[in-house]
Amino acid sequence: MKVIAIDLDGTLLSENLSIYQDDLNAIKQAQQKNYIVLIATGRALFDAQYIMKKYMLSCPIIASNGAQIYVGNKKIHERFMNQDFIQPIIQWMNKENMYYQVYLSDKIVVSDQGIKHLQKQLHDVVNQDASFNKDGFWESIRAQIYQYGLQEVSGMIQSTDYDSIIKFMVVCPDISKLRMAKEYFNQLDGCVVSSSGAFNLEIMSIGVDKGIALQKICEYYKTTVKNAIVIGDNLNDMPMFKVAGVGIAMGNSAEELIRISTFKTLSNRECGVSYAFCHYIQENETESNDLTESV
């Protein structure tokens, strides 16, 4: 049994956060051939489910970078962050006036103060660097600020407001400030830092990543992760690429991911997922069948 894991943002989703028909057709054709096609995303589970329902797709889901796993119409795994390091994370972000989102099981919350901080940071960055692409920045974080289930709350978020936090998403146009944030979070025991874009950081519990979640799903379907094929574009996909048998990087992928990939397909603007199915997955399957028949 073959498992194919596909990322959403920058991979299956186009620039306007839709799924092209060619990519949809490729997934449905693979499912008809008994491939297990799953979604592996940094988005929350309810957000990914909303997208799947919108396009009438039925797929297992790795959500929140592996903190949530949904298979066969049920949630089979959900990992919350330890309260011991939630407090220093929130306190630090509040002190540094960061924009951040708090991922819960049923919603994503963001402070109205955080939105103001983000706007001010962007204003400051543009003042310091006139060449900074303001419109490009808003476009690059579109996936984060237009998520399904995102709710704005009044006032500053406090470390005691929420007990069951799945992950944090930090967005900032100031790369030096993002770098400083990453250094701070990496010092905390019990959490891991990743990224799904140039202007964001994702903070989860240690032991949570897409690669570990992919292994869990492969075990669920009684297959090995070396039989899995993954398609992605960014650093939070890297754990999957390191454990899967085949890693296919999108044409718009981060260079670090391309370097460890098996193949490079077209960009998400050019139906790179469909291209990968046609030129790498199906062709390799045909070659494997031919080799088996000749033995």
Side-chain angles (χ1 to χ4, degrees):
M1 183 177 292
K2 212 76 159 179
V3 170
I4 304 172
I6 308 173
D7 172 51
L8 283 179
D9 294 293
T11 301
L12 183 59
L13 295 180
S14 66
E15 295 299 302
N16 63 2
L17 306 183
S18 64
I19 303 177
Y20 289 128
Q21 190 61 48
D22 284 353
D23 290 339
L24 274 176
N25 292 341
I27 290 173
K28 291 178 179 179
Q29 287 169 10
Q31 289 175 325
Q32 290 170 2
K33 295 178 180 178
N34 294 322
Y35 285 95
I36 303 297
V37 182
L38 65 93
I39 299 302
T41 180
R43 287 176 179 256
L45 176 58
F46 54 81
D47 189 7
Q49 287 174 322
Y50 172 79
I51 294 170
M52 293 299 98
K53 184 177 180 180
K54 179 179 178 181
Y55 290 97
M56 294 183 289
L57 285 172
S58 178
C59 301
I61 299 171
I62 293 171
S64 300
N65 286 333
Q68 298 170 298
I69 304 176
Y70 178 89
V71 177
N73 296 320
K74 63 180 180 180
K75 192 186 297 179
I76 66 167
H77 176 75
E78 189 166 56
R79 175 83 175 270
F80 296 106
M81 298 181 73
N82 190 306
Q83 195 69 30
D84 290 343
F85 53 85
I86 285 175
Q87 182 174 353
I89 288 173
I90 289 181
Q91 288 178 344
W92 187 88
M93 290 192 294
N94 287 345
K95 179 173 69 73
E96 295 295 332
N97 295 328
M98 302 296 286
Y99 169 95
Y100 61 94
Q101 299 170 349
V102 183
Y103 281 57
L104 308 171
S105 289
D106 59 343
K107 60 187 174 184
I108 303 166
V109 295
V110 60
S111 164
D112 58 353
Q113 298 298 310
I115 295 170
K116 292 177 183 177
H117 294 326
L118 182 63
Q119 292 169 338
K120 183 181 185 305
Q121 287 170 354
L122 181 58
H123 178 268
D124 292 343
V125 168
V126 171
N127 278 347
Q128 293 168 11
D129 180 6
S131 66
F132 187 86
N133 187 344
K134 184 177 179 179
D135 292 337
F137 168 75
W138 286 120
E139 186 63 30
S140 71
I141 67 167
R142 187 175 180 180
Q144 283 79 52
I145 60 177
Y146 292 112
Q147 295 176 90
Y148 176 76
L150 184 64
Q151 295 184 14
E152 182 180 329
V153 296
S154 298
M156 188 177 292
I157 294 171
Q158 302 299 325
S159 57
T160 55
D161 286 350
Y162 306 104
D163 293 327
S164 302
I165 295 176
I166 295 169
K167 82 166 191 175
F168 293 98
M169 167 77 77
V170 180
V171 176
C172 182
D174 187 335
I175 299 301
S176 63
K177 202 168 182 67
L178 268 184
R179 193 179 301 116
M180 180 178 66
K182 185 175 182 180
E183 289 174 358
Y184 174 76
F185 299 139
N186 278 330
Q187 294 177 50
L188 299 177
D189 292 332
C191 68
V192 63
V193 184
S194 186
S195 174
S196 57
F199 299 104
N200 72 53
L201 293 176
E202 298 169 293
I203 305 103
M204 296 82 59
S205 291
I206 194 166
V208 170
D209 65 45
K210 291 186 182 183
I212 294 171
L214 180 61
Q215 290 176 315
K216 290 180 185 293
I217 282 194
C218 287
E219 290 170 5
Y220 181 91
Y221 285 108
K222 295 180 172 55
T223 186
T224 66
V225 74
K226 288 302 177 185
N227 280 330
I229 299 168
V230 300
I231 310 174
D233 76 301
N234 224 303
L235 301 184
N236 63 340
D237 298 313
M238 193 170 287
M240 291 196 297
F241 276 61
K242 289 180 177 178
V243 298
V246 174
I248 304 175
M250 299 295 290
N252 51 287
S253 291
E255 284 300 322
E256 297 95 318
L257 196 69
I258 293 173
R259 282 197 293 268
I260 66 168
S261 66
T262 314
F263 304 107
K264 179 182 173 183
T265 184
L266 301 178
S267 74
N268 63 330
R269 295 186 182 94
E270 305 166 290
C271 294
V273 169
S274 173
Y275 188 90
F277 272 91
C278 293
H279 291 83
Y280 303 129
I281 298 174
Q282 291 179 9
E283 284 186 6
N284 283 353
E285 192 68 25
T286 301
E287 290 175 6
S288 298
N289 291 338
D290 291 343
L291 184 60
T292 301
E293 292 172 3
S294 65
V295 174

